[in-house]
Amino acid sequence: MDLLKNVMYSISSGEYDKCLFKMYATENLQPYKDRFLSLLTTFGETFGFDRKVELFSASGRTEIGGNHTDHQLGKVMAGSVNLDIIAVASKSELGTTRVKSVGYPMDIVSVDDVQPIESEKNTSASLIRGVNEYFINKGFKVGAFDCCTTSSVLKGSGLSSSASFEVLIGNIVNDFYAESSATPEEIAIIGQYAENRFFGKPCGLMDQMASSVGGIISIDFYDKDNPKVIPIDFDFSKAGYSLCIIDSGADHSDLTDEYANITKEMKLISNAMGVEYLSRVDENHFYNSIEKLRKTCPDRAILRAIHFFNDNRRVSQEVESLQNGNLNEFFNLIKASGRSSYEYLQNVYPSGSVKNQAVALVLALCEKYLHGMGAYRVHGGGFAGTVQAFVPNDMVTQFKFNIEKSIGENMCHILNIRSVGGLKLYKY
């Protein structure tokens, strides 16, 4: 019996339409149906058509407020977007999980070997292994599965393809072997654990939380083990604005040291103040201690701490402005955050780079072509990657044209906030 054909029929006949609409926020679902149908065919050709399968999705994310505040247990605002990684997955008795991502070699991971492997760092296989270890530590006996994935979350786009992958794998293991016991918030924590301990990147938790929970949310990480997540009911499109993510075209690879140095330098300040995280530092005490701090800490570390205090405070103000429907105030705060990232956090281009300042160039173009409307800022980790812009709907076509005539076609992506995060697709 060809079990995959039954799933294909369910997709084609509209049984998944309600779920797909929540995921992609559009009436035109056919391209998304075709994407799942194509991936089902890929799964069948790779692992066999007579398999019982489930469908999964994990969204990309956009950071709306709070740039590099999460790893200091500060506050952020973020949202899931209608670009995602999708999967067709099936339980396996082989003892090894096999994940074939379209365009990449297959990852093969033993479910019995869950220790970090040095040579596996910076690979998707390490993330699979890390997710398995976390569930085992929770007391579950994980098992193997076969899986095919494909992604519309552009790698290095600042929309966090790695977090999406972690959330995707977390949802599959949670559904197949952990009795769906992990909440979306815990699946985010599992993803961060895998990225920190196995992948080797000292990331915060914002990316995974936004991808896993969905919608627009604010997150206060002060209580490390129980982040406070608050949904924000706001629709930018209904308010007359489009969310644009602009790919600068800069190479996003080989920047791990730049990202790590932000965390490292902020830690220099917090440790000098006698605590582990900047969110534990009294701001007035910090300013009164700058003369002393400069004897042991570089000035850039002090500037980055100033950015943290200012941007952390701005998140609460951004949330309040959206809740009150005050877009002008919100946009002013977004622009102030962008200036702070540029001047104090210093993550708009790699240290010492003269030739490669693509993100800075895109920011300059946004200022010119928005004519004082909306807002723009460096997006995500920075140094390379993307810029975020909020563009009036009646300007967005011309804005996209003007940006792309300078940096290349298909570099300005017009996105929607999606209302759901990581999930197993459901019928009806």
Side-chain angles (χ1 to χ4, degrees), residues 114-267:
V114 290
Q115 292 303 308
I117 298 174
E118 186 64 29
S119 63
E120 205 175 64
K121 283 187 174 181
N122 297 301
T123 69
S124 53
S126 70
L127 298 174
I128 299 167
R129 205 178 299 277
V131 169
N132 281 341
E133 187 196 49
Y134 193 100
F135 276 105
I136 288 172
N137 290 342
K138 274 177 60 71
F140 291 100
K141 182 175 174 59
V142 302
F145 59 90
D146 291 330
C147 175
C148 284
T149 80
T150 187
S151 177
S152 59
V153 185
L154 303 176
K155 191 173 183 180
S157 67
L159 297 172
S160 200
S161 57
S162 60
S164 303
F165 183 80
E166 294 153 17
V167 169
L168 184 79
I169 298 300
N171 272 275
I172 294 171
V173 177
N174 191 42
D175 182 76
F176 282 177
Y177 296 109
E179 302 171 4
S180 298
S181 65
T183 65
E185 290 81 3
E186 187 171 12
I187 287 175
I189 292 170
I190 292 168
Q192 182 201 28
Y193 174 86
E195 188 154 347
N196 290 173
R197 175 167 156 76
F198 285 76
F199 190 83
K201 182 178 178 181
C203 68
L205 185 56
M206 179 192 68
D207 296 352
Q208 293 84 356
M209 194 68 76
S211 174
S212 188
V213 174
I216 301 176
I217 56 175
S218 70
I219 316 167
D220 185 344
F221 293 107
Y222 190 89
D223 184 345
K224 184 177 181 180
D225 296 323
N226 297 286
K228 186 177 180 181
V229 180
I230 300 175
I232 301 168
D233 185 15
F234 191 86
D235 190 328
F236 286 106
S237 61
K238 289 183 179 177
Y241 285 84
S242 295
L243 171 65
C244 294
I245 299 296
I246 304 156
D247 186 348
S248 68
D251 187 359
H252 204 274
S253 62
D254 299 324
L255 291 172
T256 298
D257 287 345
E258 293 281 4
Y259 302 129
N261 281 337
I262 292 179
T263 304
K264 179 181 176 181
E265 291 180 13
M266 288 185 176
K267 289 282 189 185

Side-chain angles (χ1 to χ4, degrees), residues 52 258 348 402:
K52 181 180 178 181
E258 293 281 4
V348 167
N402 286 333

